[in-house]
Structures are given as C-alpha cells and as structure tokens.
Amino acid sequence: MSLPPEKASELKQMIQDHLIKMDIHGKIRDVLAETIRGEGDHGQRPLSEEDFLTALQRRGIVDDVMKDLNFIPWYTCTALHNFLMCSLANIRPLRRYLYLQVLGGRAFLEHLQEPAPLPGQVCSTFTLHLHFRNQRFRTKPVPCACEPDFQDGFLLEVHRDGPGDASKMADATTMLSICDPVHMVLIRTDASGDTVLVSSYFLDWRSVLSAPNGKTAISVELLGVGSECKVSTGVLNLKLEMYPPLSETLSPEVISTQQSLERQKTAEKERLFLVYAKQWWREFLEIRPSHQSKLVKIFAQDENGVNRPVCSYVRVLRAGRLLESPRQAARFVSLLAQERAPVVGGGARHEQWCNMMAFLCRNKGDCEDHATLLCSLLLGFGLDAYVCVGTKGKNNPHTWVMTCGNDGTVTFWESLTAHRYLHQPIDPEAPPLVPQPKPTYPYCTVGCVFNYKTFLANCQPSDSVELCVFDFADSSRWKAMSEEAVRSVCAPGSTSSLPPTPPLCSPSIQSAEASNQLELEMRFLLAEHRKDLGLATVWDDHLCYLLSSALAAYELERSMGVSCGNEEFQDGVRRAVPDGHTFKGFPIHFLHCNARRAFTTCLRSPFCEEILCCRGDHVRLAVRVRVFAYPESACAVWIMFACKYRSVL
C-alpha cells in the first residue's frame, strides 16, 4: 500500500515522536552492548544485522514497541522494521561512535517575545547543522523561540580501524589524539524562506572520555557572527555518549593537558607564520613603494572574528557523483545567492569570509565565499586553479577564480554568474597600429592570487588585469610565499584551529515534485490575477508541455555552455500555433521556489505583464516550471509564461 507523500511524512513523524518517548535508542544501545560483550566472550565471529535484530526480538523490544503503537494503522509494521534496520545499519562492530543528542535550548533572548505559532502557520525556524569527520547531519526545523524545542540525536563515527587492525577497537587514549571538533552551525529560516547565519560553534567532544559511565551532559553557549561575534545568542543543552562504552576512562586532567598542548602547538605555528608574513611583506614593499596600495590580502576574518591566512579557506574538494564537470561546479556555485555580511550603521563595506560549512548551510554568501568554494571544486577536478583578489567596475573590491592550462591559457571564472572569460594580455610596447585584444571580462586590477598551497603577490609595474602576465614562475612579476610556510598553517591537520572541510550533501529538493507544485501555484496566481482584471483564463495544456524543452535548453546552456534544442522547440511551437495566431513567450530564472515572490518579480517586467494580461480573440495561456536540483539546497528554477491569440488587424 502506497501513501501520499504528506501522509507518509506525518506517519513517520508520529512513529519517531513515540519512539523517542519510549527511549527506543537507549534500549537498542543496551541490547547491542550486551550482544557485543556476549559475542566477544565466545570468539571473534563478525556480528550481522540479523544477530542484532534477533537479540532485540529475544528481549521483547519489538513486541513492546508494537503494543505501544497499536493506535497507528497496520502499515506501521513496515515503517518500524525499516527504522530498526536503519538504526542497526548505522552501527558497525569494532568502531567507536559518539551519540550526540540536542535536548533543547534556552536564553535565545532575541526571540523572547516570539508568539507561539498557530497550527498550520508558517513561522521562522531554527535548524542546527553538524559536521564531524566527513559526516554531516541536521536537526528537524523547530519554531524560533526563547527556548527552542530541539529533540534530535546523531550517531557520529569517531574511529574506524584499518584492515590490519580488524580485531581491535580504539581505546580512550587513541581517541584523545583525535582533535577534530564537531562543527555546529545554527541557521534561522524566516517565513519567506530567507536564511540567516545565527552562530558557528566548534565543540570539543573529548570531555566524554573522562565520564565515568561514558555519558555526560553539557551546555554550550553560542555566540553571534560578524560584528556580533562576542555577543551571546543562546545556550544549547547537549548529551554526549560513547558507544560502545569505554572499558577505561581518562582523567579530566589528562584531557585538559592534551588540549592545552594542542593550543600551544597551534599558537606557536601561527606566531612563526605571522613573523614570516611580516618579513615577506616588508620585502614586497621594498620592490616598489606603490605596492602599499595593492590589494594583497594575506589574512581574512571569518564569521567568528578569527583572522586566518586566506590559503586556509581553499581546499581540494571532490564532489563525488554530485557534480560531473568543472562547468557544472561553476553553475552550482553561482546558484548560491550573493549577500554581503550585514553591518550596523553606514560606512565602508564589512568584509567577512565564511568557513565553508557555514556558507553551505546558509546557502548564500559574498563573492569571497563563492570564489573559495569554486576554486576548491576546480582543484578537485584536477585544474590549476587560484583565487584572484582585485577590483572590478568602478574599482570595487572583488574576488574571482582563474585557471591556468598546460599551454599557458589563462581563463577567468566569475563565481557569481558562472561566466568564463579568456585572458589575453595587451602588449603596451606594441606599435599603435598593431591590433590588440579587447578584454571581455569586467575585472580591472589584480593584487594577488592564491590556493591551498600557493600565495603570489603581483609585483608588475601595473596591476591592471589587461596588462598582467600570469607567468607565476617569473619572480620579477610575482612574489611567492614559501610553500612550506603556507603548508605549516594551512595544510589539513596542520593546526587544531583549522576548520575541517565538509563534504557536499545530495540535493534536498525532489525536482519533479517541486516543479509540479510550483507550477500549480503559478497557475493559481495567474488565474487570480487575471480574475482581478476581469479576464478569463483558458489553459492550453499541450502548449504548456512544449515549453519544457526550452527550459531544459536554457539550463543546459547555463550549466555546460552548450546551446541546443532551440530548433526542435521552435518547430513544435509553430505546429501548435494555428495560422493567423500570434505566440509570445517569456522565460525567467530564479534561485528559490517561493511562488508569490517569483510572481511578484514577473509582474515587474513589462514583457511578462503583456503576456499575463493578454486580451484578444481566442486567447490561450500556458505556464511551465522546471526546478533543477543541485547539491545542498541549491536549485535553478526556470519559469516560462506564454500565450497565443488570434491576430486582428
């Protein structure tokens, strides 16, 4: 028996809430611990999911759950079985796990007067995102409140042994050397769908290694971001538990000593790099006094107000099966909205470079965030990619990406639009009559370029992009930092303060469902708009379907740079529009699935309004929506309105 998506989601939530009340996770953990101990006494036979499920049935856990769930229809049997199997599938013998529970929050004073949402009312929500050792999770959205009701648990794999150590399980001493933090990012989503970065917190989980029973409850204070990075935003209540339980625990003094040594080691590396950077900068200024005004950015401040070398913001990032080519990666990055860091009051632009995890969770950021993410993805595809810091337009500071081909070809990638530009330098010493290449890119000057292991400052007489020669091996044109010095503070794992690189998440949007839903909403809004104007609305479903090929061609051109399919679309439209009739179409592109926002934007276009308000003889209307899903929550939304009517001369 199949259920509608909304009913299935409601059923899953009912089962989940009830199982949490029964403490089903605790019961499963107890049974698993007993099973592992029992098998450990009788040999090293690998444990299977069937062994765990048999143990649960033998203890009567499954029967108890089914009795308590007798108020839910019969098809819960399948859902319950799937839940138990998923719980077991996530746990592997001989691996260590950290079970992290988020048990509510308090003191979110900004929402002290927030009224409780009415049933069915769309309200602002909090979502907590977590990243730990290449694993990402997020809580269910909860209404914003002074005491948000987070009730979620996550099983984080802390340690897995290699093939040669298949019979060993990591002890507390081994895990003490794992200094990777749990990166927690709190996002607020407004009723309109707009996202706001509330806090970015790094949790050192190792205090649980000293807990007598392997369990500990802690409260963490979240601080704001940007100009509010020293202001408290609220407190989260957490419960940490090691699984399987540790046979021996560590003393709190041992843990604090280890943490202190890590901080001292990191501080010393950062101090030595700062000393080197100052000396390098003095040498750069000695080359030419005018270098003082060049945009050579060695350090940048992240969302928590921490100054870090710019090279640490770039990583080699492989997207697996989520992105198929460098151009598709550029398209994905361009779909993340641009928004500058908020600043209280007027004045100069506040520059804030976000950690990659915070940027991805928020789904928007400034040009620096887009450029570092795109550069990381292009490096993952094997390209020789760099982030460029300079200016564009009216000398406005800007950041973009460049790649160098094996044949010396230099290509600029605009991370905000996915546009690509070929760079051909102008020869200032050429005779006036010699034709010179005309720049097509919008960039004016470039002060420095960098990636995860290289930092180069432009020391050519002019920092104009059109005159610049990107021959990085020529030390008279580019002054390089020592790669060893950069690696000492920017290489993965070089310092405990370096944020780990998160993997990309699969698309969270179902393209077909989102397209159908948004198209229904657009049809309703269009019909209501025409009704207010005293106009009837008659749909041409065949014409609606024909618009699909045009939208697919538009997205293909944006993502791959290939234009095709226009001939077939035009031929289909000619056959669908009778002689003596006129066809008009208007495509438009969005980065969101909010129907009302999109329709309001469409009405601002005189071309679109002409179609929506079409009057005449035998008027037929059409609208088609295509939502193209990309990693994270990114999406490309194409909407096309069209009409055909009989021409009257």
Side-chain angles (χ1 to χ4, degrees), residues 477-490:
R477 289 190 168 100
W478 296 91
K479 180 172 175 57
M481 272 193 174
S482 163
E483 288 196 6
E484 183 181 353
V486 172
R487 189 164 51 248
S488 69
V489 289
C490 297

Side-chain angles (χ1 to χ4, degrees), residues 111 114-117 123-126 140-150:
H111 302 276
E114 196 91 19
C123 63
S124 299
T125 58
F126 281 139
K140 297 185 296 291
V142 300
C144 293
C146 183
E147 298 182 354
D149 187 26
F150 290 110

